[in-house]
Amino acid sequence: MSGIIRGRFAPSPSGRLHLGNMASSLLAWLDARSLGGEIIFRLEDLDPERSYMDYAELMAGDLRWLGLDWDAGWPENAGFSQGERTEYYRAAFDELESRGLIYRCWCSRAERLAASAPHPGEAHPGSCRCRSLSAPELAERLHGKRPPAYKAAVPDETVTIIDGHLGKYKQNLAREGGDFIVRRSDGVFAYQLAVSVDDALMGVTRVVRAEDLLSSAPRQKWLIETLGMTAPDYAHAPLLTAPDGRKLSKRDGDLNMAELRERYTPEELCGRLAYLCGLIDRPEPVKASELVAGFSWSKVPRGEIDISGVF
Ligand code: GLU
């Protein structure tokens, strides 16, 4: 796969795409296309309790409606939904386990959230005492009824990301990120493991997504490299905030594509998003394809973008 630039859309079908998702998707598409690269559509339907196939269809339709296309992906091609990729996650898990990098964890709060990406307000707790249980404590838990989740034991090591938009970002894995769940107690593999394995095995070279996942990038890079693969380059896009300062979120039902498609034509919505992202001077209608030639991350603001006055 060397030499090929490949970006990705990686939505989770847990709700309709909102304005913020559309801004990140537009930037992901422009990033790949402006570099002459490919883009794939991977459906992140890892969590059976939070995945609805009706949303998956709508998400793909919403991206196409805005004028964004992809070269391969769900549902046209096999192997592009996480539900079909369990064998790869299992192989990675087994590899980490055989190298002593996994331990059992009985902390339930961490595990509830582990199959979805950590978005605002969902701080995922890190390291815990389960890593250093004494032999009797471990034996007691193993004999209990509750099955454990599994965590990756991260080293005391600083990982540096050169973010394509934000520049250098450093994180000490142990002190700042902490150990993280790679598999839930019900057997579902966790977001951090799945996304890392998928990006590496699918030959993704450019991960463009919203800034709330910046702090996940070092652990993903570490996982990929620990598994002997090449990590992609990362670029994190600004988060959009509502007029009251709140970050837009799928879970709050903010300005989602059902409403936006009623209000705007694709070119109108694209123009407003492009304006918010600093790509054009006025919020005038534009086709996504017309933005490719002039795209540069240097035009995109850093920090949050307030949508007031535009939406
Ligand atoms: N599937 C995640 C989400 O929709 C995004 C994961 C990623 O881009 O790494 O929130």
Side-chain angles (χ1 to χ4, degrees):
M1 305 230 184
S2 65
I4 293 175
I5 290 162
R6 185 173 292 140
R8 43 82 147 181
F9 299 117
S12 298
S14 59
R16 197 78 189 248
L17 292 174
H18 63 69
L19 197 60
N21 301 137
M22 295 311 286
S24 309
S25 302
L26 175 63
L27 291 170
W29 185 83
L30 289 172
D31 177 84
R33 294 303 192 213
S34 66
L35 294 168
E38 298 179 350
I39 191 156
I40 60 168
F41 181 101
R42 179 173 74 233
L43 188 67
E44 302 219 320
D45 57 341
L46 202 57
D47 188 347
E49 285 143 38
R50 278 180 165 186
S51 298
Y52 305 94
M53 284 306 143
D54 291 353
Y55 282 132
E57 299 277 359
L58 289 166
M59 286 171 154
D62 289 339
L63 295 177
R64 288 206 172 92
W65 178 88
L66 193 71
L68 311 184
D69 62 352
W70 48 92
D71 303 284
W74 180 88
E76 290 80 14
N77 306 101
F80 281 86
S81 71
Q82 292 187 323
E84 299 168 87
R85 302 179 58 80
T86 311
E87 64 190 287
Y88 301 114
Y89 312 144
R90 191 184 312 280
F93 179 91
D94 290 348
E95 163 80 15
L96 295 170
E97 193 169 45
S98 72
R99 288 161 57 186
L101 290 169
I102 286 186
Y103 64 91
R104 293 179 180 83
C105 168
W106 281 268
C107 305
S108 52
R109 199 172 93 72
E111 111 143 307
R112 193 167 45 79
L113 299 166
S116 46
H119 289 293
E122 291 192 340
H124 286 213
S127 311
C128 62
R129 235 184 59 73
C130 299
R131 182 167 172 177
S132 53
L133 293 177
S134 65
E137 284 173 324
L138 185 61
E140 189 194 315
R141 282 178 177 66
L142 286 172
H143 282 106
K145 284 208 172 58
R146 219 150 58 80
Y150 294 85
K151 270 187 176 172
V154 297
D156 183 5
E157 200 177 279
T158 296
V159 172
T160 303
I161 300 285
I162 308 297
D163 187 278
H165 182 44
L166 300 171
K168 194 185 269 189
Y169 175 74
K170 283 181 169 189
Q171 185 185 82
N172 179 284
L173 293 175
R175 286 199 302 276
E176 295 165 77
D179 296 341
F180 56 91
I181 303 250
V182 287
R183 191 174 192 186
R184 299 197 317 201
S185 62
D186 61 2
V188 172
F189 289 99
Y191 160 75
Q192 301 289 0
L193 179 79
V195 83
S196 306
V197 167
D198 285 345
D199 284 334
L201 289 183
M202 295 170 119
V204 170
T205 64
R206 310 275 307 170
V207 167
V208 177
R209 59 189 174 190
E211 199 179 323
D212 50 354
L213 291 173
L214 174 65
S215 65
S216 290
R219 60 181 54 172
Q220 293 172 4
K221 182 176 180 204
W222 171 76
L223 255 184
I224 293 171
E225 291 177 354
T226 299
L227 290 165
M229 298 185 282
T230 306
D233 292 327
Y234 296 90
H236 289 85
L239 291 169
L240 266 44
T241 55
D244 62 7
R246 220 170 20 86
K247 295 183 182 63
L248 299 183
S249 124
K250 207 189 286 173
R251 284 154 214 172
D252 289 337
D254 270 318
L255 282 178
N256 70 43
M257 283 301 280
E259 289 171 47
L260 293 164
R261 285 176 65 163
E262 297 269 312
R263 280 197 228 167
Y264 305 107
T265 64
E267 291 76 18
E268 282 168 351
L269 182 63
C270 189
R272 282 162 197 258
L273 285 172
Y275 173 72
L276 285 177
C277 292
L279 304 178
I280 52 177
D281 296 334
R282 282 200 298 256
E284 286 172 350
V286 67
K287 283 187 168 50
S289 57
E290 291 165 349
L291 297 167
V292 174
F295 177 72
S296 161
W297 279 104
S298 63
K299 297 179 180 172
V300 181
R302 292 188 181 157
E304 290 165 6
I305 297 179
D306 181 356
I307 65 168
S308 315
V310 181
F311 287 96

